[in-house]
Each structure stands twice: as structure tokens, then as C-alpha cells.
């Protein structure tokens, strides 16, 4: 079982030389290349979802370990990764968006609907804890959704999330302030220190089943980005990698 999985959907990680160098220092890393797959950006049709499931299965990848899953357009990979969890679990999501919106084009998995789809389809989900969501996006539909708990910005997460059920962690770096890193979605105002404190506390005091991280820039943004922005994103990924070595 590999500790780190990097799922290449858009080619974003190829732009981060420092991050790749740090990964190459570790022996327990597997790269999964899905860049050539069609029908995957933002929306994932059923055929593409099945192909991704097959690729993950053939490479022995499930929810265990740490998964880097490209930019926010592919956050729905969290749903596919957690499908293999065969016991009740809580889901912790740090994201500037609740990802509970029904897709515009009918019943299709999307980066904006995956939390809603997960709750509907995965009987093992106990509760979903949302942290860092833009207050303007917290509608009555979100707060009234079964099993969804929206965490207050000042809440002590460790007091809210119980310790008697294992937890899976999903992070979209768009929860971070744009001064910390740049993503392909509108961003929140969480500091990187606050995010890492949450992650380390959960790892230290809860039974964490697995972790995934998205929130890169997309290819067009990397083409236009200056070296300062690219360096920021590279550094954030390296610091996350180092923080997660204790997992």
C-alpha cells in the first residue's frame, strides 16, 4: 500500500518542480495518469467514472493514504475514493464551497455536487463537516441537508467532531486566502497555519482513514502565471506534504 497517490488529471503537478522533487525523495508514492481521459473536467460522466474506478483499482488505490487529486474541477474524485470505505465514517471537508449543488445537466457527478451525491449514495457516511465555506454560499438548502454540519468559523473543531467514528479528510486549497496560494476557483480567507493546525489535530486525535487534497491552478492559469505564484503553490504543496508525513 502506497502512502502517497498523485492523480494527474490536468498536468498541473508537472508545473511544480519542487513538489515533484520532494515526492521523489519518498519511496511510497504512486502516480496515476488520467490526463488523456475525456468527460472528466468539472463533470464526470458515468463511463469516465467507471474508467477512473478501474484505473484506481488496477493500481491498488483506495481511500487509504494521502491523495493529491489535481485542481478543484476534479474534487469529485473524493467521492470515488471514499466509495470503498466499508464502515461508518465522518467526512471533514475544508472548502470555500459546500459542493452540495445539484448539477445543471441532470444526474451527473460534478465537482460542485459530489458531497450531495456522496450523502445520497454512500450508506456508510455518518456526517459531513464543512469548514471554511463562504458564508454567502451557506443557504437554507445547505443547512437543512441531512447529515451536513456547517462549522462556525470560530468553532473548536475537535469539540464538534466526535472521536468514536473514523474520519476521512478532504481539502480544497481554495479555502485558503489568495495571498497563501492561487487556485482555479474563488477563494476563502483561511490561513495556511490554521488549515495545517486542523489537519494535524485530526491526525493526532482522531482515527483518520485517508486524506485528499485538490486546489491547483488549471493549465491555462499556469501558462499565464508568474514565477511568484507558481512558487507559492509549489511551496504550499511541499509544506502540506511535510505536514502529512506524520499520517
Amino acid at each position: 500500500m502506497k502512502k502517497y497517490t498523485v492523480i494527474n488529471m490536468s498536468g498541473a503537478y508537472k508545473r511544480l518542480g519542487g513538489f515533484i522533487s520532494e515526492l521523489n525523495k519518498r519511496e511510497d508514492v504512486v502516480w496515476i495518469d488520467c490526463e488523456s481521459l475525456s468527460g472528466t473536467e468539472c463533470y464526470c460522466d458515468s463511463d469516465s467514472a467507471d474508467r477512473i474506478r478501474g484505473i484506481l483499482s488496477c493500481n491498488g488505490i483506495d481511500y487509504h493514504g494521502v491523495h493529491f487529486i489535481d485542481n478543484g474541477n476534479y474534487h469529485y474524485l473524493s467521492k470515488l475514493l471514499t466509495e470503498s470505505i466499508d464502515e461508518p465514517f465522518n467526512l471533514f471537508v475544508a472548502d470555500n464551497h459546500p459542493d452540495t449543488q445539484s448539477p445543471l445537466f441532470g444526474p451527473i457527478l460534478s465537482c460542485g455536487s459530489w458531497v450531495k451525491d456522496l450523502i445520497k449514495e454512500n450508506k456508510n457516511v455518518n456526517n459531513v463537516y464543512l469548514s471554511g465555506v463562504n458564508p454567502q454560499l451557506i443557504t437554507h438548502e445547505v443547512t437543512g441537508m441531512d447529515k451536513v454540519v456547517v462549522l462556525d468559523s470560530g468553532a473548536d473543531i475537535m469539540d464538534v467532531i466526535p472521536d468514536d467514528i473514523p474520519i476521512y479528510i478532504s481539502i480544497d486549497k481554495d479555502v485558503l486566502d489568495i495571498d497563501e496560494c492561487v487556485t482555479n476557483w474563488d477563494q476563502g480567507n483561511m490561513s495556511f497555519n490554521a488549515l495545517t493546525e486542523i489537519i494535524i489535530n485530526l491526525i493526532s486525535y482522531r482515527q483518520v482513514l485517508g486524506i485528499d487534497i485538490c486546489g491547483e491552478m488549471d493549465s491555462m492559469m499556469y501558462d499565464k502565471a508568474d514565477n511568484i505564484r507558481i512558487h507559492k503553490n509549489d511551496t504550499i504543496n511541499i509544506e502540506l506534504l511535510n505536514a502529512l508525513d506524520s499520517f
Side-chain angles (χ1 to χ4, degrees):
M1 181 70 65
K2 298 293 186 180
K3 179 172 181 176
Y4 295 103
T5 301
V6 183
I7 304 179
N8 171 42
M9 302 297 294
S10 74
Y13 296 116
K14 298 175 183 177
R15 313 294 186 100
L16 302 176
F19 177 59
I20 292 175
S21 295
E22 283 299 313
L23 279 170
N24 287 338
K25 295 177 183 178
R26 294 159 171 82
E27 297 180 354
D28 49 354
V29 179
V30 59
W31 287 79
I32 305 296
D33 190 1
C34 296
E35 193 172 355
S36 63
L37 292 182
S38 60
T40 62
E41 187 168 8
C42 291
Y43 295 90
C44 186
D45 60 48
S46 58
D47 288 343
S48 295
D50 285 341
R51 286 197 293 271
I52 293 171
R53 290 184 183 100
I55 292 170
L56 295 176
S57 178
C58 287
N59 286 276
I61 304 303
D62 59 10
Y63 62 87
H64 293 96
V66 178
H67 314 80
F68 288 89
I69 59 173
D70 215 286
N71 70 54
N73 293 350
Y74 306 98
H75 203 170
Y76 61 77
L77 289 170
S78 302
K79 177 182 180 293
L80 302 184
L81 288 166
T82 53
E83 286 176 344
S84 57
I85 298 177
D86 59 359
E87 62 180 313
F89 71 99
N90 286 318
L91 175 68
F92 172 82
V93 183
D95 197 320
N96 191 45
H97 311 86
D99 290 352
T100 56
Q101 180 178 351
S102 298
L104 297 175
F105 305 109
I108 185 172
L109 178 63
S110 79
C111 60
S113 72
W114 71 271
V115 169
K116 187 173 185 176
D117 295 335
L118 181 75
I119 292 171
K120 181 180 178 180
E121 299 174 19
N122 192 324
K123 61 180 175 45
N124 285 317
V125 177
N126 182 60
N127 279 323
V128 177
Y129 296 89
L130 301 179
S131 177
V133 175
N134 182 339
Q136 295 181 352
L137 301 178
I138 303 174
T139 63
H140 291 299
E141 181 183 5
V142 175
T143 56
M145 187 176 296
D146 187 34
K147 298 186 177 182
V148 169
V149 180
V150 180
L151 297 169
D152 294 333
S153 59
D156 187 336
I157 289 174
M158 303 308 293
D159 286 342
V160 178
I161 299 178
D163 60 5
D164 58 340
I165 297 176
I167 190 166
Y168 184 91
I169 299 172
S170 184
I171 299 162
D172 189 332
K173 290 184 295 180
D174 70 18
V175 76
L176 296 173
D177 191 282
I178 198 168
D179 288 337
E180 301 270 15
C181 70
V182 182
T183 75
N184 66 323
W185 286 87
D186 56 292
Q187 294 183 224
N189 56 18
M190 187 180 291
S191 70
F192 180 71
N193 286 340
L195 178 61
T196 52
E197 181 179 359
I198 291 170
I199 295 170
I200 290 172
N201 279 338
L202 289 172
I203 290 172
S204 300
Y205 301 108
R206 297 294 183 270
Q207 180 189 349
V208 176
L209 298 171
I211 302 169
D212 65 53
I213 301 161
C214 69
E216 305 308 317
M217 290 190 290
D218 62 31
S219 296
M220 291 182 63
M221 293 178 69
Y222 271 114
D223 289 340
K224 298 176 181 178
D226 56 37
N227 289 332
I228 293 176
R229 287 184 174 183
I230 294 174
H231 178 70
K232 279 185 177 181
N233 288 10
D234 209 3
T235 300
I236 285 289
N237 277 359
I238 292 169
E239 291 181 356
L240 278 170
L241 187 64
N242 291 333
L244 292 168
D245 276 338
S246 62
F247 173 51

